Amino acid sequence: MGTGALALMWLTAHAHMLALPRAAPALARHGRALAPAGAARMGMGFEGVSSLMGAQAVSTMGMALRGKPHAEGAPAACVDTYSPRILANGGERLGLSPREREVFDFLREVVRESGCGTVMRVAGGWVRDKLLGLETDDIDLALDNMTGLCFARLLSESLEQTGEPLRIGVIQANPEQSKHLETVAISIMGLSVDLVNLRSEEYSSESRIPSEVSFGSPLSDAQRRDLTINSLFYNLRTDCIEDMTGRALADLEARMIDTPLAPKETLLDDPLRVLRAIRFAARFDYSVAPALREAMSDTGVQAQLATKISRERVLREVCSMVGAAGAAPVRAFRLLHELRLHEAVFLADSL
C-alpha cells in the first residue's frame, strides 16, 4: 500500500475524531502506546515460549505445532471437539515475579481458610504476555463458583485481621463499553487485580450486547473470548497453564491470530472483534488466519460492524492502533486497507 493511501486513512481517522467530541475522554485514556516497556521484544521468535512449554507441547489435536497451524480446508476453529492442553509448573514457565508469587500465595491462603473451594484462574492477556516474556500488570482473575464482589469481601475480611483494609472498586456491567458482567477491581500488595466469574454468553442477531450472561465453565469462558491467544488460563490451584481450546499455544508459536470458534460466528456475535483482531495482529506482527481474513472481509460482517457498534467504541480501537509502539500503526492501517474496511470503520454513516 502506498504512503498516500495510508495518509488518507490517517486523515480520515482524525477527521472522525474531531467530529466526535463526546469521545474526548477516550482519547486521553486510549491514545497512549498499547505496548508495554518490553515492546522491542514483540517481534521475537517463539523459541523462548517453545522452551517454556517443553516436550509436552510438541503437538496438539493431531497436528505438529511447527508448520501450518490449521489443516488445509478445515480451519481448527470449526473443530467440534476440544482437546485441552495442560502445562504443569506454570509459575516457573511464566516467570512469576516475587511480588506475583506473594499475591498468589495470599489468594490461595484465603481460599483455604474460608473453605469456599474456589478455583482461581488468571485469564487472558496476562498469561499471553508472560509467555511472550513481556512485563504486564493487567491481572484478570476468573472465579468458578462466586462473583467477584463476593470474593473481594472474603479478601477484605482476611486483610482486616492484619490491619490492611482492602479498597474495592465495582465496575458495573456496561455492554456498550464491552463490559458484559460486573467486574470488581482491587489492589493487593501493589498489584491491580480485576475479579470476575467464569462466564458464558449468548448473543441476539440485532445487538452486540449478550442476550444472556451466566456462570460458565473454563471451556465456555475460553470459547467466548475474541482470539485464541487471549483465551489462556493460569490455574492458581494446580499451578498449571490451561489451553482449554487446545489451540492457543499453537497459535502463539505460529504467530497466528485466530478465533476460538468459527470466525464468522465469532465476529457476528461481536463485530468489534474485527478491529481487535487487527490491533493484536499489528501489535505483535502476527498473521491473520485465512478463514478469519475471509470472515473479516465478509460484507455481512462489515455491515454489522458499521451498524451494531457505536462510533465511540470504533474510535477507541482506532486510537489504540494509532497509539501503539513502533511500526504497529502502519501494520494496522495496512490491514484495514487490505480488508477493505474503510467504509465500515470511517464512513459508516454513508452505508
Side-chain angles (χ1 to χ4, degrees), residues 34-72:
L34 260 179
R41 291 181 288 171
M42 286 185 179
M44 69 178 183
F46 203 80
E47 291 79 5
V49 181
S50 297
S51 64
L52 284 172
M53 287 156 51
Q56 184 178 357
V58 171
S59 65
T60 180
M61 298 175 72
M63 293 179 286
L65 290 185
R66 298 198 180 277
K68 292 184 179 180
H70 303 148
E72 194 73 31

Side-chain angles (χ1 to χ4, degrees), residues 76-331:
C78 297
V79 175
D80 292 329
T81 58
Y82 291 82
S83 178
R85 296 176 56 204
I86 310 298
L87 304 182
N89 303 315
E92 181 179 348
R93 296 173 189 272
L94 294 169
L96 298 183
S97 68
R99 184 171 57 169
E100 288 168 338
R101 290 185 181 277
E102 186 178 7
V103 169
F104 294 160
D105 286 344
F106 167 71
L107 294 173
R108 294 186 189 101
E109 183 63 25
V110 169
V111 169
R112 240 183 338 261
E113 291 182 351
S114 68
C116 64
T118 301
V119 178
M120 302 169 289
R121 291 175 170 89
V122 186
W126 181 90
V127 184
R128 177 202 67 223
D129 285 352
K130 295 291 282 189
L131 282 173
L132 292 175
L134 303 173
E135 294 299 323
T136 177
D137 56 4
D138 182 18
I139 298 179
D140 294 327
L141 199 65
L143 313 166
D144 73 330
N145 66 352
M146 68 173 65
T147 65
L149 186 57
C150 289
F151 191 72
R153 287 169 178 159
L154 285 180
L155 298 177
S156 181
E157 291 172 4
S158 179
L159 285 171
E160 282 177 0
Q161 299 174 10
T162 66
E164 299 179 21
L166 179 69
R167 298 185 61 181
I168 301 174
V170 179
I171 305 170
Q172 299 293 338
N174 186 347
E176 289 300 331
Q177 303 300 325
S178 292
K179 288 290 184 183
H180 305 315
L181 201 65
E182 178 183 85
T183 302
V184 174
I186 61 174
S187 179
I188 304 178
M189 303 173 193
L191 282 182
S192 297
V193 181
D194 287 350
L195 305 171
V196 71
N197 56 273
L198 292 172
R199 58 196 187 269
S200 176
E201 297 174 354
E202 294 183 9
Y203 293 82
S204 69
S205 59
E206 292 79 22
S207 172
R208 66 177 295 272
I209 301 172
S211 57
E212 182 178 347
V213 180
S214 58
F215 272 86
S217 66
L219 175 58
S220 68
D221 193 278
Q223 289 174 329
R224 73 167 182 83
R225 294 179 182 269
D226 54 358
L227 304 171
T228 56
I229 64 171
N230 295 335
S231 68
L232 291 162
F233 295 113
Y234 170 49
N235 188 318
L236 297 189
R237 173 180 288 182
T238 63
D239 187 36
C240 289
I241 297 168
E242 298 174 337
D243 178 0
M244 303 309 296
T245 70
R247 296 172 42 230
L249 293 170
D251 283 345
L252 270 179
E253 182 172 15
R255 303 173 62 83
M256 183 68 64
I257 296 296
D258 206 352
T259 55
L261 297 176
K264 190 171 180 178
E265 173 188 348
T266 299
L267 299 183
L268 288 176
D269 278 348
D270 183 355
L272 190 67
R273 290 168 175 166
V274 172
L275 299 186
R276 287 181 58 81
I278 289 175
R279 176 159 63 86
F280 280 103
R283 175 183 174 184
F284 294 120
D285 195 13
Y286 283 8
S287 299
V288 179
L292 178 55
R293 286 185 72 102
E294 182 179 351
M296 294 165 72
S297 301
D298 183 87
T299 55
V301 169
Q302 294 193 6
Q304 291 291 292
L305 174 61
T307 58
K308 285 176 67 174
I309 306 301
S310 71
R311 292 300 92 189
E312 288 83 358
R313 286 296 298 147
V314 170
L315 175 61
R316 291 191 185 104
E317 285 296 326
V318 172
C319 288
S320 293
M321 295 176 193
V322 172
V330 174
R331 290 193 289 264

